[in-house]
């Protein structure tokens, strides 16, 4: 596209109502017009493959399509993302690919919104509009710009760019006239079709069947198109506004630094006065409960207290206190004055809060391990332990930063959290829970085996249920219950959502269906066949 064409399109924008209303015209390029043409399709695919996919392989396919289209648009728009920013895109694709492995509502409920929020940040990083040019302490300001300020500030830019492209390009006028022609001749098309139906019975039958199918498809997709409109406008506002470098509230480092300076107003004496009583409470608490808590590390129980009460008593309260301590450390880092007194107070109290928090986390984790040893694994117990490990790492990073100021704590915490979440999703956690509980029960380490829990974990547990059903050393009641669950799953073969809707397919679902077919005779009969291994 030539420079004159760009000026002509920009002049068209100046005459649009949105420009007349006070919105400053931006430099529109041909790539922006093509983006306006393609994004409605992307928005529809988002609803089709992500929102309505049941969280299967459709999420991974959409991520690949969107990433490929985004990179093509970057190249066409003249945007060259820094090499380091591709790590964000790689994380998004890996996270999306995990949806094709199994349906795990626990971590995936957190993973999907994080994936969606990571896209605007990747776009900001690729376009070089972050405040510091890196992931760091200004992450909240960059997130505000990329998630809200830019997309919502350009929420209606789609119409301006599309209208400018249609008016400023000969091909665009042709497309617009063609669509207008279809709209104007639609009544005549329907009238002629109705008259031909009256004239011929065979055509009437064809037209009725075709019309019913078209009507059903239109009714099904009309709502999806309606839902895709906000997604399309948001994505276009994000990409176009970021590429045009307009609407960024905190892009100037000087402005962000000035804001940070104004926030650091708390004197060291005030911080010390506020945190010292909290530390005294911790000291009294640890001293009074020292013997009680140390029993957790020795595996001993206080008199009159069972495993369940001992492990659960105060566990989530200890986790909450650790989270509160982390919040205090963050508040000190952002609001304490940067004079000598302020830095000294921040260092002393950050170390103290971190040490107390590390102690609380270690006690909590040990109590949770005792609980798991006695009652087995559940998704909640595993995810809670995983989160506590993440908190432990964050506290360690906060202490190290005090002695190595060059350490980027935000980047380290985000990277650790992202990697840990991917490991949780790729680690076959539901299958691991089922295998652990079955193995612990067979070895006598668990007194009871909750098969309803295994059933709720989804298709990934089919092999564990088969192990229970085929093990003659297990109580016959449990074997019958496992057989009943497997029969329920086998009765749905051929009608399962994963088999009737390709968007819902997962690797675990496919493997479960194969196992159910292979062991169908054993599931419906009483004799056993050789055991299986995962």
């Amino acid at each position: 596209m030539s420079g004159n064409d760009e000026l002509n399109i920009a002049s068209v924008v100046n005459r649009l109502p949105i420009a007349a209303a006070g919105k400053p015209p931006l430099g529109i390029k041909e790539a922006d017009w093509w983006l306006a043409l393609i994004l409605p399709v992307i928005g529809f695919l988002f609803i089709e493959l992500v929102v309505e996919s049941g969280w299967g392989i459709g999420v991974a396919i959409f991520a690949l399509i969107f990433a490929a289209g985004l990179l093509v648009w970057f190249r066409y728009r003249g945007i060259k993302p820094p090499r380091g920013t591709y790590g964000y895109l790689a994380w998004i694709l890996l996270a999306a690919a995990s949806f094709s492995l199994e349906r795990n509502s626990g971590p995936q409920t957190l993973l999907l919104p994080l994936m969606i929020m990571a896209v605007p940040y990747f776009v900001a990083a690729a376009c070089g509009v972050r405040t510091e040019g890196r992931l760091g302490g200004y992450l909240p300001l960059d997130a505000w710009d990329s998630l809200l300020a830019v997309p919502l500030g350009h929420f209606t830019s789609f119409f301006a760019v599309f209208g400018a492209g249609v008016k400023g390009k000969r091909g665009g006028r042709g497309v617009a006239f063609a669509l207008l022609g279809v709209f104007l001749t639609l009544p005549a098309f329907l009238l002629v079709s109705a008259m031909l139906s009256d004239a011929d019975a065979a055509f009437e039958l064809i037209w009725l069947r075709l019309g019913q199918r078209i009507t059903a498809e239109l009714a099904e997709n009309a709502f999806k198109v309606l839902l895709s409109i906000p997604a399309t406008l948001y994505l276009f506002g994000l990409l176009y506004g970021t590429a045009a470098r307009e609407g960024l509230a905190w892009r100037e480092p000087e402005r962000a630094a000035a804001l940070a300076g104004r926030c650091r107003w708390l004197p060291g004496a005030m911080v010390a006065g506020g945190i010292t009583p909290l530390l005294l409470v911790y000291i009294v608490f640890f001293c009074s409960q020292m013997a009680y808590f140390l029993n957790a590390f020795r595996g001993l129980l206080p008199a009159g207290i069972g495993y369940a009460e001992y492990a659960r008593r105060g566990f989530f309260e200890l986790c909450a206190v650790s989270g509160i301590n982390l919040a205090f450390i963050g508040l000190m880092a952002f609001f304490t004055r940067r004079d000598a007194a302020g830095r000294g107070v921040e260092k002393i109290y950050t170390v103290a809060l971190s040490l107390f928090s590390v102690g609380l986390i270690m006690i909590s984790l040990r109590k949770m391990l005792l609980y798991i040893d006695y009652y087995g694994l559940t998704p909640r117990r595993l995810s809670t332990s995983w989160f506590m490990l993440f908190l432990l790492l964050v506290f360690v990073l906060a202490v190290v930063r005090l002695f190595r100021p060059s350490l980027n704590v935000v980047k380290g915490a985000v990277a650790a959290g992202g990697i840990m979440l991917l490991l949780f999703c790729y680690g076959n956690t539901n299958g691991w829970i089922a295998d652990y509980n079955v193995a612990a029960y067979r070895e006598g380490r668990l007194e009871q085996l909750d098969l309803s829990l295994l059933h709720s974990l989804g298709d990934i547990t089919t092999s564990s249920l088969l192990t229970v059903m085929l093990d003659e050393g297990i109580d016959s009641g449990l074997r019958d219950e496992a057989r009943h669950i497997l029969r329920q799953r086998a009765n749905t073969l051929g009608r399962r959502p994963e088999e009737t809707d390709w968007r819902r397919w997962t690797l675990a679902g496919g493997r479960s269906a194969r196992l159910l077919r292979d062991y169908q005779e054993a599931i419906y009969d009483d004799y056993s066949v050789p055991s299986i291994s995962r």
Side-chain angles (χ1 to χ4, degrees), residues 447-462:
E447 295 182 359
Q448 296 179 343
L449 180 61
D450 187 359
L451 292 184
S452 62
L453 170 66
L454 269 63
H455 183 39
S456 67
L457 295 179
D459 293 322
I460 196 69
T461 62
T462 295

Side-chain angles (χ1 to χ4, degrees), residues 494-514:
R495 296 179 286 109
R496 299 161 62 86
E498 295 85 353
E499 297 176 284
T500 59
D501 187 348
W502 64 268
R503 300 171 302 172
R504 299 175 181 266
W505 183 89
T506 62
L507 186 63
R511 186 174 187 271
S512 174
R514 186 171 64 254

Side-chain angles (χ1 to χ4, degrees), residues 102-393:
E102 64 170 317
R103 194 166 290 108
N104 191 343
S105 59
Q108 288 176 348
T109 303
L110 175 64
L111 186 63
L112 185 61
L114 288 179
M115 285 169 47
I116 295 174
M117 289 189 291
V119 170
Y121 190 81
F122 165 67
V123 173
C127 295
V129 296
R130 289 179 296 180
T131 304
E132 290 183 297
R134 65 188 181 104
L135 177 62
Y138 291 116
L139 175 62
L141 302 183
D142 291 332
W144 171 267
D145 274 348
S146 58
L147 289 172
L148 296 174
V150 174
L152 299 183
H154 293 278
F155 198 70
T156 58
S157 296
F158 172 87
F159 304 105
V161 174
F162 185 81
V166 169
K167 292 183 179 181
K169 295 175 66 68
R170 181 177 300 177
R173 289 195 297 268
V175 172
F177 285 137
L179 294 176
L180 180 61
V182 170
F183 177 75
L184 293 176
T185 57
L186 183 61
F189 169 78
L190 296 176
L191 178 62
V192 170
S193 300
M195 295 175 65
L196 291 176
S197 298
D198 293 336
D200 184 73
F203 182 82
E204 181 182 14
L205 181 61
I206 295 174
W207 177 248
L208 286 175
R209 291 181 177 177
L210 183 62
Q212 290 174 353
R213 184 168 183 177
I214 292 175
T215 302
E217 291 290 334
L218 287 176
E220 180 181 354
N221 292 318
F223 186 64
K224 296 179 185 178
V225 171
L226 189 63
L227 289 178
S228 70
I229 292 175
T232 300
L233 298 180
Y234 179 90
L235 281 174
F236 186 86
L238 165 69
L239 296 174
Y240 175 65
T242 305
R245 297 173 176 263
E246 292 287 342
L248 295 163
W250 303 106
R251 179 160 57 91
E252 300 84 0
E254 297 79 10
R255 185 181 179 188
L259 175 66
R262 290 194 299 270
C263 290
R264 294 175 179 135
W265 59 274
L266 283 177
M270 183 180 294
V271 174
I275 303 297
T276 298
L278 186 64
L279 295 180
L280 293 177
V281 170
Y282 288 156
I283 293 173
V284 174
F285 178 76
F286 271 96
C287 291
S288 64
Q289 302 291 321
M290 185 64 67
Y292 177 79
F293 284 137
L294 289 180
N295 284 332
F297 291 98
R298 295 194 297 242
L300 301 176
L301 296 181
I305 297 181
Y307 273 100
E309 182 182 358
Y310 178 71
R312 288 183 299 184
R313 185 175 181 179
F315 174 80
F316 291 103
E317 287 78 5
L318 295 178
C319 296
V321 169
S322 299
I324 292 172
N325 289 345
L326 183 61
F328 273 116
I329 290 174
L331 291 174
M332 283 194 296
F334 280 107
F335 293 103
T336 304
R337 288 179 183 174
R338 284 297 181 262
D339 54 16
R343 291 180 185 275
V345 167
E346 180 189 354
K347 180 176 293 188
I348 293 172
Y349 283 90
T350 296
V351 171
L353 287 175
S354 298
L355 290 177
F356 279 118
S357 300
V358 169
L360 293 174
I361 291 172
M362 297 300 293
I363 293 171
S364 300
L365 286 174
R366 181 53 186 154
K367 294 180 73 172
M368 178 58 76
L369 289 177
L370 284 175
Y371 196 44
I372 291 171
D373 286 341
Y374 196 77
Y375 290 103
L377 271 173
T378 64
R380 185 179 182 184
R381 293 166 196 166
L382 185 59
S383 60
T384 302
S385 302
W386 208 261
F387 178 69
M388 295 301 290
L389 288 174
F390 171 70
L391 275 184
L392 181 63
L393 179 60

Side-chain angles (χ1 to χ4, degrees), residues 55-57 97-104 108 425-432 457-464 466 489 493 496 498-499 504-517 534:
W55 293 4
I57 198 173
S98 69
F99 284 81
S100 65
L101 300 179
E102 64 170 317
R103 194 166 290 108
N104 191 343
Q108 288 176 348
C425 294
Y426 278 92
N428 185 27
T429 52
N430 282 349
W432 184 26
L457 295 179
D459 293 322
I460 196 69
T461 62
T462 295
S463 61
S464 297
L466 282 170
R489 295 185 179 184
L493 285 174
R496 299 161 62 86
E498 295 85 353
E499 297 176 284
R504 299 175 181 266
W505 183 89
T506 62
L507 186 63
R511 186 174 187 271
S512 174
R514 186 171 64 254
L515 287 173
L516 292 172
R517 289 188 175 92
R534 181 172 293 275

